[in-house]
Amino acid sequence: YTGMACQPHKAIVGANAFQHESGIHQDGMIKNKGTYEIMTPESIGLMRGDTQSGAGIVLGKHSGRNAVGTRLRELGYDLDNEKLNAVFARFKQVAERKKGGIEDEDLEALVSDQSGLGNVLWEVTGLQVFTGLSGIPTATVTLRGPDGVERFVASTGTGPVDAVYKAIDQIMGVSVTLETYQLSSVTEGIEALATTRVSIAPTIGGPNDSPSMHAQSGLTRNRKFSGTGSDTDIITSSARAYVSALNKLLKWNLRRIEKEQNGVDANGSAPSAQAAEPIAVQEVSP
């Protein structure tokens, strides 16, 4: 025994000898394992089993839609084409920045990140933050609205997340209270994927007031809305979670107003709260 570690890419006995990251290789291996392997790992005593889709699939920046979709189905997620495309787009963004491949936990976090796809009104398209021991934390946020126009605002705050949230509030024209904020790491290591979960409540009497009656107590109170976001950058993760919650709030208000206008409410009264219009801000020319 020489004490020298075996190179990962060493043929047959290397750790990566029977693993595949290239998209075309993964697609071929999923369809027929004999496509790119003239011998099986089991033939030399390496039991691959059902891990890595049973074909040595390592999800990374070179992986294709088929490999990602196959792994999601193995994890129990049967997504339609629209949701799969959305998850795959986020997967490619994260995989470009994260070394070492995407773990199952990361993939599940991305699915959760796209769970509010049907509620998308506003989308984060740009984010830049300045912070440190000296100076005032400043954030410049760009959002794409329901009309397809990008708007951006710069704001200051007590910290980078506070500055980002204040900028988002200005662009979307909302007034809410941040009830809870939770940040957790999906996996270990410096390049781990971060998941942020927030819950918000509209300000009473504000432009997005969303009163609802409690089923048991009969008391009227504002609804709470939650959102999640995932990214390797904790500020971006926080922004995506906040926008996700605000999208649910605005979408709920729109549905409520539509029902009231159609006479669904018992009194047939006009809507009492309108979804706020975005304030006039600078627009990014296409």
Side-chain angles (χ1 to χ4, degrees):
Y1 180 69
T2 63
M4 296 180 63
C6 179
Q7 297 178 357
H9 298 294
K10 186 73 173 178
I12 301 178
V13 294
N16 298 337
F18 293 96
Q19 294 186 345
H20 307 271
E21 186 181 355
S22 171
I24 190 171
H25 281 212
Q26 292 177 344
D27 185 66
M29 287 295 298
I30 291 173
K31 294 175 179 176
N32 186 345
K33 295 183 179 64
T35 306
Y36 291 103
E37 288 184 352
I38 61 173
M39 59 188 300
T40 65
E42 289 79 10
S43 65
I44 59 170
L46 297 178
M47 307 308 295
R48 185 156 52 192
D50 294 330
T51 61
Q52 298 178 331
S53 300
I57 303 300
V58 179
L59 296 179
K61 64 180 181 180
H62 300 297
S63 297
R65 185 178 285 97
N66 186 23
V68 174
T70 299
R71 190 66 193 128
L72 285 173
R73 286 191 293 273
E74 293 171 351
L75 294 173
Y77 298 96
D78 189 11
L79 307 179
D80 56 35
N81 288 333
E82 182 182 3
K83 290 184 178 180
L84 177 59
N85 290 337
V87 172
F88 181 69
R90 284 288 296 137
F91 167 84
K92 296 294 282 187
Q93 293 174 1
V94 174
E96 284 289 341
R97 291 176 288 173
K98 190 174 187 294
K99 298 180 180 179
I102 302 296
E103 302 292 338
D104 290 346
E105 294 82 1
D106 298 328
L107 200 57
E108 290 183 301
L110 294 179
V111 173
S112 177
D113 187 27
Q114 297 297 318
S115 61
L117 185 63
N119 293 315
V120 172
L121 293 175
W122 293 85
E123 181 184 4
V124 181
T125 58
L127 177 61
Q128 187 174 13
V129 174
F130 170 80
T131 188
L133 295 177
S134 59
I136 301 175
T138 305
T140 302
V141 180
T142 304
L143 300 180
R144 181 184 295 115
D147 53 4
V149 176
E150 289 189 332
R151 300 172 173 87
F152 67 91
V153 160
S155 181
T156 60
T158 57
V161 174
D162 182 51
V164 168
Y165 284 7
K166 286 180 178 178
I168 293 173
D169 287 345
Q170 292 182 50
I171 296 176
M172 297 179 67
V174 297
S175 178
V176 299
T177 300
L178 182 63
E179 297 283 336
T180 61
Y181 174 91
Q182 296 178 333
L183 180 66
S184 59
S185 173
V186 177
T187 52
E188 299 178 352
I190 191 65
E191 295 180 348
L193 197 68
T195 294
T196 306
R197 292 178 174 85
V198 302
S199 64
I200 60 173
T203 304
I204 297 177
N208 302 103
D209 197 7
S210 304
S212 62
M213 182 175 293
H214 193 273
Q216 295 179 344
S217 66
L219 298 177
T220 300
R221 61 183 182 181
N222 267 340
R223 290 174 58 94
K224 293 183 179 180
F225 301 86
S226 62
T228 61
S230 299
D231 200 88
T232 52
D233 186 296
I234 61 174
I235 306 300
T236 303
S237 171
S238 300
R240 292 178 62 86
Y242 192 59
V243 171
S244 174
L246 290 175
N247 277 332
K248 292 178 181 178
L249 163 63
L250 297 178
K251 198 75 172 181
W252 186 86
N253 268 342
L254 290 175
R255 287 197 298 266
R256 185 191 63 175
I257 292 172
E258 182 180 356
K259 288 181 179 180
E260 290 177 349
Q261 290 176 341
N262 292 335
V264 176
D265 59 323
N267 299 325
S269 58
S272 57
Q274 299 287 336
E277 293 290 333
I279 64 173
V281 292
Q282 290 178 289
E283 297 183 358
V284 180
S285 58

